[in-house]
Structures are given as structure tokens and as C-alpha cells.
Amino acid sequence: MELLPTAELHIHIEGTLEPEMLVQLAARNGIELPTTDPEAIRARYRFEDLQSFLDLHYGNLRVLRTAEDFYDLAAAYLRRAAGDGVRRAEIFFDPQTHVGNGIPLAAVFDGLGAALAESASLGVSADLILCFLRDRGPQAAHEILRAALPFRDRFIGVGLDSTEVGYPPSLFRDVYAMAAAEGLHRVAHAGEEGGPDYVWEALDVLGVERVDHGIRAMEDASLVRRLREERIPLTVCPLSNVCLRTVDTLADHVLPAMLDEGLAATVNSDDPAYFGGYVGANYEALRTELGLDQTQLATLAMNSFDACFVDEAQKEVWKAEARAAVLAPGPDVAA
Ligand code: ADE
Ligand code: ZN
């Protein structure tokens, strides 16, 4: 099989900040780091759970100060994505973090937007999804959405991320209604550490079109039926789940069970600078460590294109490319 084309639908641009770039941006912006050795920084990336990751991750984001920094970050991700066979990237960003660090929203949009504007030349179609930080609450979510509306043409949807447990989706009912009224797509992290009730709320209260993670949905048979019958995509992040200890080992992951249940599961990298690899590494781990075969890997890639926020004709073009890659002779590369 040739390199398998895919879409990446669960990628936090801030989570692509590699230690080398962290050091470079800190030097450029006169920010002190505890160490400037990328390998020493990487060695600290051992997490107990989602919160222990978030605490370290948000601290690192102090180095992002200018539009050029955001451009460099997104351009590096898009180059890697192209190399992994990504045809479409729907990229999360956390503007509340940056505004909280004193950065004008325009610098964030200008920098990320400039990188995305060049992505077509890499063969990658890309758009932005603005995420609300659930632990800052619904009022702050309203404020950032209102502040972002002058840039309405620069993002295609809203998402919900950060600390999950204790911040159920229903808190964000009104801001999601406002996003819907603006014609924005809606997704939310749910069922990563939170239980199936968080996934039900994301569907019923927020009206999400995709669920980010959703692995704990597998604990509720009636929810699994709902996800299957409505073909609601799940943006699953296998290496992330291992690193954040939501599963003990990859062998314990529910992704194969999701496929057996006929769910619209997709493969994604979440925060690849921290979790051991980009989307290609996630596909490769599923192949080598979970034993997924080419048919299953191809199903995951097809699901990813079906789940994109693009028109049906474009999805068919990418799916035809994925089908051709599966049929092509050649080195057995997973993604
Ligand atoms: N922000 C970045 N990565 C995240 C994740 N895996 N869950 C929730 N919020 C996040
Ligand atoms: Zn995520």
C-alpha cells in the first residue's frame, strides 16, 4: 500500500509546538525557560492524566507572542501533515490562552491564517476551529466568541477543550446556540476522561456534528447505537489516550471495538509534540501494535474524509485517492 491519504480532524495547533521550536521562540522573544536543551524538555513529557499535561502545555505557550510565531507554528505542522498524507486538516486553536497571555487576537488570526493560506501549495486543505477552554466557564466563552466575530470568515467552527471532568457540555448551551446562529460548525471534546453522560450532552444540548475522543461512549450501549445510527464521527487519538493514561496500553484501546460496532471512528494525533507522534505514527501504531489490517486502516481513512466539513464532491475525490492507495502495490506503509 502507498502512503494512505487521510484527514486530520483533531489536532490542537498549540500541541504541535516541538521542543526545538519552543527553545527558538523563547530565544526570539526573550523568555526564560528552565532548560534550553530540547531533549531535556522532551524528557519531562511524562503525564499522569489530562490535567498534568495541560498544566505543562499552557506554561509552554508563553513563548507564542507574535503573528510570526503563530505562522511558524502552523507552517511547521502543515509541512509535517503533508508528509503524512494529510489532505485535509481541521485545526483547533485556543485563543483564550493567547489573549490571556496579552496577545492581540488579530496576531493569532493573522499568523495562523498566513500559514493556512499557503497550505494548498503543499496539497493540504486546512481550516480553523476555535475552541473554548471549558475550565474558564461559559461567560468567558461568550466573550471570546464575541471578540472573534470580526474574524468570522477566518474560522469554520467552534470546539470545547481543556479540563473535562467538572465542566459538562451543558454549561455551554447558550454559546453553542450563538455559534450555530452564526452558521459555525460545532464539535466538542467529550468522553475522553468524562463519562458517556458528557457525550449525550454534547449531542443533545450542544448539537455537535462530531465528538472529539468519545472513547468512553463505548461504556453505554444505547449511546453506541445512537452514534452508529446517526453516523456521528468520533475523532479518536490513540497515542494521546495512552500518554494521558485514559487507557493503560494501546492493546486496551477501544478503537477496534468501535470499528466492529460500525462507528464512524477516525484517527488523529491531538497534541503530537507531546504524545509521541503525528497522525502517521498513530496509524502506524494501530497497524504494528494493535494489528489493524489494511481494510480497517482504509475504513478509518474513509471515515475521516466523510467526517470533514467540506462538500460531498471534494470528499469523493479524496476517498478515491485513498482507495487507489490501498490498491496500489508497494511498501506496506500504514499512513
Ligand atoms: N487541549 C489540548 N489537548 C487536549 C485534550 N486531549 N483534551 C482536552 N483539551 C486539550
Ligand atoms: Zn484534543
Side-chain angles (χ1 to χ4, degrees):
M1 177 160 74
E2 282 177 356
L3 190 64
L4 183 60
T6 193
E8 179 150 60
L9 306 175
H10 187 157
I11 173 78
H12 300 263
I13 200 61
E14 294 88 354
T16 70
L17 180 61
E18 292 285 346
E20 289 76 9
M21 188 176 287
L22 175 71
V23 169
Q24 184 197 334
L25 296 184
R28 187 152 96 188
N29 292 320
I31 293 165
E32 288 230 6
L33 295 175
T35 169
T36 54
D37 173 4
E39 284 318 314
I41 294 171
R42 217 169 249 121
R44 291 169 53 223
Y45 293 175
R46 303 271 176 273
F47 308 110
E48 299 298 317
D49 53 16
L50 174 59
Q51 192 61 50
S52 66
F53 158 68
L54 292 171
D55 292 342
L56 184 147
H57 169 60
Y58 293 143
N60 282 347
L61 298 180
R62 292 173 301 120
V63 302
L64 291 166
R65 308 290 316 166
T66 66
E68 186 187 8
D69 301 339
F70 287 95
Y71 169 84
D72 288 348
L73 180 70
Y77 164 69
L78 288 163
R79 275 193 303 273
R80 284 182 183 265
D84 265 358
V86 171
R87 298 292 190 276
R88 168 77 179 161
E90 297 181 1
I91 302 173
F92 297 144
F93 70 116
D94 286 340
Q96 285 165 280
T97 303
H98 311 304
V99 171
N101 287 341
I103 313 306
L105 207 45
V108 180
F109 277 112
D110 287 350
L112 297 177
L116 266 61
E118 293 173 4
S119 70
S121 67
L122 297 165
V124 182
S125 154
D127 279 300
L128 294 173
I129 294 179
L130 181 157
C131 283
F132 305 122
L133 298 178
R134 60 205 312 158
D135 49 333
R136 296 203 187 180
Q139 185 57 37
H142 267 286
E143 283 165 19
I144 198 71
L145 182 55
R146 257 194 303 273
L149 286 180
F151 306 93
R152 168 66 188 84
D153 58 336
R154 314 244 204 129
F155 61 108
I156 62 166
V158 296
L160 188 61
D161 66 3
S162 201
T163 314
E164 182 175 7
V165 174
Y167 302 94
S170 53
L171 291 174
F172 299 87
R173 175 197 305 263
D174 293 348
V175 74
Y176 269 68
M178 181 175 160
E182 289 292 335
L184 289 159
H185 289 289
R186 285 158 293 159
V187 301
H189 285 52
E192 179 185 16
E193 288 188 343
D197 49 323
Y198 281 55
V199 179
W200 282 111
E201 280 193 7
L203 297 171
D204 290 336
V205 181
L206 305 186
V208 298
E209 298 156 80
R210 295 194 301 245
V211 174
D212 297 315
H213 292 293
I215 54 175
R216 290 199 58 198
M218 294 301 282
E219 297 169 21
D220 179 338
S222 60
L223 178 56
V224 170
R225 198 173 322 118
R226 165 95 180 266
L227 294 168
R228 178 175 50 245
E229 286 174 1
E230 296 186 15
R231 274 209 79 65
I232 294 160
L234 301 155
T235 64
V236 181
C237 306
L239 294 180
S240 162
N241 297 149
V242 175
C243 283
L244 300 186
R245 306 199 189 184
T246 49
V247 298
D248 289 336
T249 70
L250 201 56
D252 302 307
H253 204 282
V254 293
L255 186 61
M258 288 175 154
L259 291 177
D260 290 345
E261 288 282 1
L263 300 188
T266 67
V267 180
N268 309 270
S269 67
D270 206 6
D271 300 284
Y274 296 88
F275 301 153
Y278 287 74
V279 69
N282 275 266
Y283 272 99
E284 184 64 7
L286 295 175
R287 186 176 74 85
T288 58
E289 293 182 45
L290 270 183
L292 263 58
D293 63 25
Q294 295 199 352
T295 306
Q296 290 170 304
L297 297 171
T299 297
L300 289 163
M302 296 299 175
N303 289 348
S304 77
F305 292 126
D306 280 331
C308 291
F309 295 140
V310 301
D311 63 53
E312 295 301 317
Q314 179 60 74
K315 292 180 190 182
E316 289 309 318
V317 170
W318 287 326
K319 285 163 69 178
E321 274 189 69
R323 251 179 244 114
V326 173
L327 294 175
D332 191 3
V333 179

